[in-house]
Amino acid sequence: MAIDFDPKQLGSELYNGGFRPMFIGGQWVGAQSGEVSDAVNPATGERLATIPDAGVVDVDRAVLAARRAFEGPWSKFSPYERQAVLLKIAELVERDWDKLCVSDTLDMGMPIMRTLANKRRVLGMLRFYAGMATALHGETIDNSIPGEIVSFTRKEPVGVVAAIIPWNAPTAATVWKIAPALATGCTVVLKPAEDASLTPLMIARLMQEAGVPDGVVNVVTGKGSVAGARLAEHPDVNKVVFTGSTLTGQSIARAAVGNLKKVSLELGGKSPVIVCKDADIDRAVPVAAMAVFAHSGQICIAGSRLFVAREIHDEFVARVADFAKALRIGHGIETDTDIGPIVNSRQARVIEDYIASGQTEGARLLTGGSRQSGPVYDGGNFLTPTVFADVHDDMRIAREEIFGPVISAFKFDSIDEVTSRANASPYGLAAGIFTKDLGTAHKLARRLKAGSVWVNMYHAIDPAVPFGGMKMSGYGREGGVEHLYEYLETKAVWINTD
Ligand code: NAP
Ligand code: MG
């Protein structure tokens, strides 16, 4: 992909360390306490901006604004008008696409060519849900009650939705939470991650420009333990949609019990990639490697458990290691970077701890396993892409989500065996299969306990196709028509026509 602008130049125009307010009830405001925190560039350690550190009072104001908008102006918008607003947002996101991507890259590190490449998907989400806004409908159902009694259903918006998102794909996550909410007539309070709040604030500005009424979309920045926790327990929030870690998802589900608000959770994973002995090795090597190394492993669907058929294991794993060695580590803002920084130093230490545990427990380190050092890297958190072989199923690096650039490779002998080992994980988010045999592909696709299964590919996500997890990877689905039902209530209406 060729680009016709200079990302570094654009970045220096966007952020200069100044204050970026949050968005509540159509107003751009600071936290009532005056507290702020720094938005930091993980490649350099530099402060890009300061953002408000919302407290409980700020969250409560945002929820009140969302409630008033839900019952007031927004409830008068027809499906066609909501569709028009979504299409206008899509137009503005397309207009400002370069800026949004540079902002994402600066704030959380993903290489700019990757953030830019998400365009079709993000615009697709807005336009898909714009289309769905005028396609919502209930059903007329024949009942068996004597007399002439008509029964039908209505689909109604669930109300005020709290959307809590992680830092690893801020633009996509913001759009994927808000678009179905607007399509269905809900209102939203979005809490982005502290590590990546700048682009969600930029998107809120575009929503304002697109004519979204005040209070329909609110963005509160701040700590998960304060602002996020308040949203999860808030008595006037009807639904929480959350993407993040399994641990936080569990605490949100507990907090939601108070008013029995609805919850959907997109959580972590430890996804298996299974390479059968008949796989097209040339094609499978780069895909299996990038199933983890894309975004330095900081993606929920990272294919971090690589199961390779014994017959081809040594060659395959050596080639994945060679592929890893050739990746260019650098600042995300450089257009030739393959692998950017880890989002913050705490997370980098967690990953290093996992790498150390792999070595202590006896896995064989084929490549990586260290910090990338040198003048370009010293301000940030750069880890080298890491491949472990001879991993045993009971090692920590085999069982736990690392959320970093670490592949754990295993040998397997049969389809039955690999199925049960792949499924022996508390997670069930995604899985990859490489084979030329149609029977094997179908068998594995049916048997694997995962919300998405990719055959001879990985990473595909589309607005029209449901995405989400089984087991401790969460519940609820994003994408497709199913996503809309997460934001809708079904009401049954009975009419006695006698
Ligand atoms: P995280 O710590 O769970 O944070 C996610 C969001 O929750 C952030 O906005 C965070 O705020 C907030 N939060 C933290 N504690 C909270 C609490 N007690 N109550 C309410 N909200 C709270 O996850 P992360 O480390 O940012 O992201 C990595 C995880 O997300 C990984 O496990 C990954 O697998 C998962 N993930 C899943 C998907 C998916 O679709 N399944 C997609 C992407 C990521 P602060 O960060 O500001 O504290
Ligand atoms: Mg940041």
Side-chain angles (χ1 to χ4, degrees), residues 113-436:
M113 299 312 279
R114 287 199 164 272
T115 51
L116 286 167
N118 266 332
K119 186 170 181 178
R120 187 190 52 81
R121 175 162 26 132
V122 170
L123 293 175
M125 289 169 186
L126 287 161
R127 292 182 174 136
F128 179 85
Y129 289 107
M132 295 309 292
T134 51
L136 302 172
H137 57 86
E139 292 175 317
T140 309
I141 304 163
D142 284 345
N143 62 69
S144 306
I145 295 178
E148 300 213 25
I149 294 179
V150 175
S151 50
F152 62 94
T153 58
R154 289 176 42 78
K155 293 288 184 191
E156 297 184 353
V158 71
V160 174
V161 174
I164 304 175
I165 60 171
W167 45 265
N168 60 351
T171 294
T174 299
V175 166
W176 225 359
K177 303 291 192 234
I178 292 180
L182 298 188
T184 50
C186 294
T187 57
V188 183
V189 180
L190 178 87
K191 209 302 278 177
E194 259 189 294
D195 279 320
S197 291
L198 296 176
T199 323
L201 291 169
M202 216 183 237
I203 297 173
R205 249 180 222 287
L206 298 183
M207 298 204 171
Q208 192 177 31
E209 188 182 340
V212 174
D214 293 351
V216 172
V217 173
N218 307 271
V219 180
V220 289
T221 54
K223 296 190 175 56
S225 55
V226 179
R230 177 61 182 157
L231 282 170
E233 64 161 27
H234 200 293
D236 202 28
V237 167
N238 301 105
K239 160 101 190 177
V240 183
V241 288
F242 171 74
T243 297
S245 63
T246 295
L247 211 59
T248 305
Q250 289 170 316
S251 94
I252 287 175
R254 276 192 293 272
V257 163
N259 69 334
L260 290 176
K261 60 174 70 66
K262 290 164 180 47
V263 179
S264 43
L265 302 172
E266 303 286 349
L267 308 176
K270 188 74 186 175
S271 299
V273 170
I274 298 171
V275 184
C276 300
K277 60 177 184 249
D278 67 337
D280 180 335
I281 295 183
D282 291 343
R283 286 175 63 183
V285 165
V287 182
M290 291 313 277
V292 172
F293 298 138
H295 203 7
S296 304
Q298 305 172 108
I299 36 173
C300 51
I301 52 179
S304 52
R305 289 186 296 153
L306 178 60
F307 291 95
V308 186
R310 185 176 301 276
E311 295 84 342
I312 58 165
H313 172 275
D314 292 354
E315 180 199 347
F316 192 89
V317 173
R319 286 181 60 179
V320 168
D322 288 342
F323 186 94
K325 282 179 209 154
L327 291 170
R328 293 175 70 103
I329 304 172
H331 292 199
I333 203 71
E334 306 283 352
T335 51
D336 60 356
T337 291
D338 296 314
I339 283 218
I342 302 304
V343 72
N344 58 45
S345 52
R346 180 174 29 86
Q347 182 69 15
R349 283 195 298 275
V350 168
I351 299 167
E352 286 179 307
D353 189 48
Y354 274 112
I355 293 170
S357 85
Q359 288 174 299
T360 316
E361 293 188 78
R364 185 159 52 93
L365 183 66
L366 294 186
T367 184
S370 57
R371 287 235 171 197
Q372 184 81 348
S373 58
V376 177
Y377 305 107
D378 287 349
N381 317 295
F382 293 89
L383 294 178
T384 51
T386 301
V387 180
F388 277 111
D390 299 337
V391 181
H392 290 281
D393 294 5
D394 54 358
M395 292 179 182
R396 276 183 68 207
I397 57 167
R399 292 182 286 113
E400 297 176 21
E401 181 179 49
I402 299 176
F403 225 58
V406 182
I407 289 180
S408 301
F410 312 79
K411 292 188 181 90
F412 74 88
D413 290 298
S414 76
I415 296 300
D416 285 347
E417 173 211 330
V418 78
T419 308
S420 67
R421 288 171 67 196
N423 284 339
S425 164
Y427 296 111
L429 189 58
I433 302 163
F434 289 87
T435 177
K436 289 186 202 140

Side-chain angles (χ1 to χ4, degrees), residues 40-51:
V40 173
N41 179 344
T44 60
E46 280 164 351
R47 185 172 81 193
L48 296 163
T50 60
I51 50 174

